[in-house]
């Protein structure tokens, strides 16, 4: 069987081939929905100062928590939970074939999340063929190669209820720079839905007299 | 018209020669009374009642008077012709023998409702029927979950709705030509029923039980009946008599109601992972769907596991939410308004009044009010318009 090769500078092409649009869409949609749901829960349950402080932690749990549900619903990927090196914290990753994804909130679009051992570890073990900076290696990225990507997101500055962006970024082997990025909310523009819009059914409804009745009642008058 | 009807009233001296035997059966069934009970009540033999109903004998004027008084119908009810009526099957929620009498009573009252609407239609134009008609597989078993989800979405689209919560399901149905009535159905398991009437243009009727005094459950009933009207338009009476087919269409209508009220596109994005019951309470206020129905929908959309669904239902039971959920007292029950508006217009223009209705429909005013789901509409109105003579 032929193995498709990809330009190592374009891991997004491989990602798009191997991770269906349906999965990508569900991931983006899951992040958006958990932003909203977590916001509503925190602010409906706690006073604003506590809600504000709780929200980022709670949202992370929600986003990671919904991934297995989506996996169960649509299939096509599995979810792994692992402890970090210090064994004091868990993280979840989505595994779809040779692709591994983790999620992180970032401070702005186009940057990688803060350093973390587990991310560095994944980048190192998965991006070896993304080492295109070293021309001597003449690397070739193929669909059997592992690939690590990070779902990055951040809330809008003025509105914590929705994310400003949800991206898939591909770090290099050292997890220092972003090689390529897929902007999921640009790709699936209908994901941020008009969720709060109620379908208003008008109350006004005119009941008209039949023409013949109208005529006879006006004649009587 | 009034004179013609009055002229047909029985001449007691010549007996009840115009007696219409089916009317007696209808009257008895409407009141939920057996032949034996009626015979006991008016002190004649059960065989005589049976013979009257079979048309083998006509009751004497005195007996007819007793029957009319006992069953609380005007005399001319028993003398009025029963026209033939083409109807598609009525979708009842329960076919158990326990509800047989209630079903019969409801069917008779439904006939009166059709008579009433038919009468009103002589004077007013009702909203045009604009219900979507889709290509639905004729085999019931071929109507799978995917088709139901799709039809529910397309129904919203047909009516120009997005995927948000629907502010008022009753008005939505009425604006699109349905007649919706909320009335007492005498059996808790009946909940609601629906029917495509062929009296004028094909028009959908929704009868919602008054017994269920919860806004969200009643909305769900309306959406469930909408499911029947759209998914099961082609289903005939024989299919409904088959228990397994009956169960299947009920399940399909239920799925339709969930998908119609809680569309996957938007509802799935509202819910936190691993939702608990507290999280669903604000969603109930927004979507106006019961917490129990939301839990079922979450499972249907595979947003929660079977175990979590079970846990949530155990908690619902523990909190006694199966009988009454939070917000049930706060959310307002939707009220139909088409028939009321029609009557308001006709009364305002002095085109009809209590007397013309009772004579033309051959029913007493309490029955008319109950049939159209507006108890006290005429009686209270006439009580408030009594003018006292000036004493100064």
């Amino acid at each position: 069987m032929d193995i498709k090769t990809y330009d190592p500078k374009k891991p997004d092409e491989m990602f798009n081939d191997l991770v269906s649009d349906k999965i990508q869409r569900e991931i983006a949609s899951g992040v958006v929905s958990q932003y909203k749901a977590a916001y509503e829960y925190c602010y409906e349950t706690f006073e604003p100062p506590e809600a504000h402080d709780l929200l980022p932690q709670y949202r992370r749990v929600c986003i990671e928590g919904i991934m297995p549900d989506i996996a169960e619903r649509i299939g096509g990927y599995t979810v792994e939970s692992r402890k970090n090196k210090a064994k004091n914290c868990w993280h979840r990753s989505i595994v779809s074939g040779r692709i591994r994804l983790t999620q992180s909130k970032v401070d702005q679009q186009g940057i990688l999340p803060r350093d973390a051992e587990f991310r560095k570890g994944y980048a190192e073990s998965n991006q070896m063929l993304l080492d295109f900076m070293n021309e001597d290696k003449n690397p070739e990225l193929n669909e059997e190669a592992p690939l690590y990507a990070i779902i990055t997101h951040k809330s809008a500055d003025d509105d914590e209820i929705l994310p400003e962006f949800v991206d898939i970024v591909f770090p290099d082997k050292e997890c220092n720079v972003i090689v390529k990025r897929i902007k999921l909310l640009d790709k699936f523009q209908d994901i941020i839905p008009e969720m709060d819009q109620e379908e208003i059914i008008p109350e006004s409804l005119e009941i008209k007299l039949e023409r013949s009745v109208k005529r006879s009642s006006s004649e009587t008058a | 018209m009034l004179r013609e009807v009055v002229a047909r009233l029985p001449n007691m001296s010549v007996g009840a020669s115009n007696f219409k035997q089916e009317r007696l059966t209808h009257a008895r069934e409407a009141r939920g009374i057996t032949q034996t009970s009626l015979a006991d009540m008016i002190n004649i033999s059960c065989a005589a009642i049976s013979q009257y109903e079979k048309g083998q004998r006509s009751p004497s004027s005195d007996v007819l008077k007793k029957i009319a008084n006992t069953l609380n119908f005007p005399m001319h009810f028993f003398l009025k012709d029963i026209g033939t009526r083409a109807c598609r099957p009525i979708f009842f929620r329960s076919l158990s023998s326990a509800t047989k009498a209630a079903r019969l009573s409801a069917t008779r009252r439904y006939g009166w409702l059709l008579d009433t609407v038919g009468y009103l239609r002589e004077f007013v134009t009702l909203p045009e029927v604009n219900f979507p008609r889709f290509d639905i597989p004729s085999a019931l078993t071929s109507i799978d979950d995917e088709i139901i989800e799709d039809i529910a979405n397309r129904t919203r689209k047909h009516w120009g709705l997005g995927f948000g919560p629907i502010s008022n399901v009753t008005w939505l149905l009425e604006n699109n030509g349905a007649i919706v009535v909320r009335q007492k159905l005498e059996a808790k398991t009946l909940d609601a029923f629906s029917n495509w009437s062929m009296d004028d243009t094909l028009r959908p009727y929704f009868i919602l039980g008054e017994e269920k005094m919860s806004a969200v459950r009643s909305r769900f009933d309306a959406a469930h009946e909408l499911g029947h009207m759209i998914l099961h338009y082609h289903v005939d009476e024989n299919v409904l008599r088959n228990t397994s087919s009956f169960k299947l269409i009920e399940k399909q209508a239920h799925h339709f109601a969930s998908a119609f009220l809680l569309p996957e596109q938007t509802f799935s994005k509202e819910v936190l992972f691993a939702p608990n019951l507290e999280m669903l309470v604000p969603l109930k206020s927004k979507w106006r769907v019961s917490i129990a129905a939301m839990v079922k929908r979450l499972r249907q959309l595979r947003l929660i596991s079977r175990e979590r669904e079970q846990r949530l239902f155990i908690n619902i039971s523990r909190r006694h939410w199966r009988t009454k959920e939070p917000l049930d007292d706060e959310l307002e029950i939707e009220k139909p308004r088409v028939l009321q508006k029609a009557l308001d217009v006709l009364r305002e223009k002095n085109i009809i009044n209590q007397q013309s209705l009772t004579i033309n429909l051959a029913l007493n005013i309490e029955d008319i009010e109950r049939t159209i789901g507006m108890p006290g509409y005429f009686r209270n109105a006439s009580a408030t318009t009594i003018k006292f003579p000036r004493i100064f």
Side-chain angles (χ1 to χ4, degrees), chain A residues 25-26 29-30 32-34 36-41 44 58 61-70 72-74 92 190-214 217, chain B residues 121-127 156 160-169 171-172 174-175 264-266 268-274 276 278-279 282-283 286-288 299 301-306 337-338 341-342 345-346 349 351:
Chain A
R25 189 192 168 81
E26 286 292 332
S29 171
V32 171
S33 69
Q34 296 312 294
K36 186 171 183 297
Y39 177 90
E40 284 174 353
Y41 176 71
E44 274 161 18
Y58 193 69
V61 174
C62 292
I63 292 171
E64 294 204 339
I66 203 163
M67 295 305 167
D69 294 340
I70 297 174
E72 191 202 329
R73 183 152 51 104
I74 60 168
R92 264 186 172 156
D190 58 329
I191 277 183
I192 302 228
E194 297 163 2
M195 288 195 294
D196 287 324
Q197 273 192 12
E198 190 177 33
E199 310 300 334
I200 302 290
I201 312 299
E203 199 226 331
S204 60
L205 180 78
E206 201 187 348
I207 301 286
K208 288 180 185 160
L209 288 179
E210 282 285 334
R211 265 187 210 156
S212 55
V213 177
K214 233 186 259 175
S217 63
Chain B
R121 246 188 21 248
E122 291 176 18
F123 309 108
V124 292
T125 308
L126 296 173
R156 274 185 172 248
L161 304 175
F163 294 108
I166 297 172
S167 67
N168 193 312
V169 175
W171 292 352
L172 173 69
E174 286 190 322
N175 289 1
E264 179 178 4
Q265 292 87 329
T266 40
S268 64
K269 293 177 178 60
E270 294 266 47
V271 188
L272 277 167
F273 94 96
N276 60 33
E278 276 68 31
M279 293 168 183
L283 290 181
K286 179 174 176 180
W287 289 87
R288 270 156 277 163
R299 177 61 200 146
L301 294 173
R302 298 283 182 272
L303 290 169
I304 55 171
S305 64
R306 190 168 295 284
R337 83 293 198 217
V338 163
K341 277 180 189 274
V345 169
L346 294 173
K349 305 264 181 200
I351 294 168

Side-chain angles (χ1 to χ4, degrees), chain B residues 207-262:
Chain B
I207 317 298
L208 309 175
E210 213 178 42
E211 287 83 354
K212 208 174 255 184
M213 292 306 282
S214 149
V216 291
R217 286 172 206 262
S218 181
R219 270 164 67 91
F220 199 90
D221 282 346
H224 174 106
E225 298 307 323
L226 174 64
H228 282 314
M229 295 288 89
I230 289 176
L231 293 173
H232 305 130
Y233 174 81
H234 58 284
V235 168
D236 68 44
E237 199 85 49
N238 293 329
V239 174
L240 294 182
R241 287 197 198 105
N242 176 303
T243 314
S244 58
S245 302
F246 178 78
K247 278 185 183 162
L248 182 59
I249 66 160
E250 280 300 292
K251 196 174 155 217
Q252 289 171 343
H254 230 64
H255 188 148
F256 177 94
S258 303
F260 184 72
L261 294 174
L262 303 169

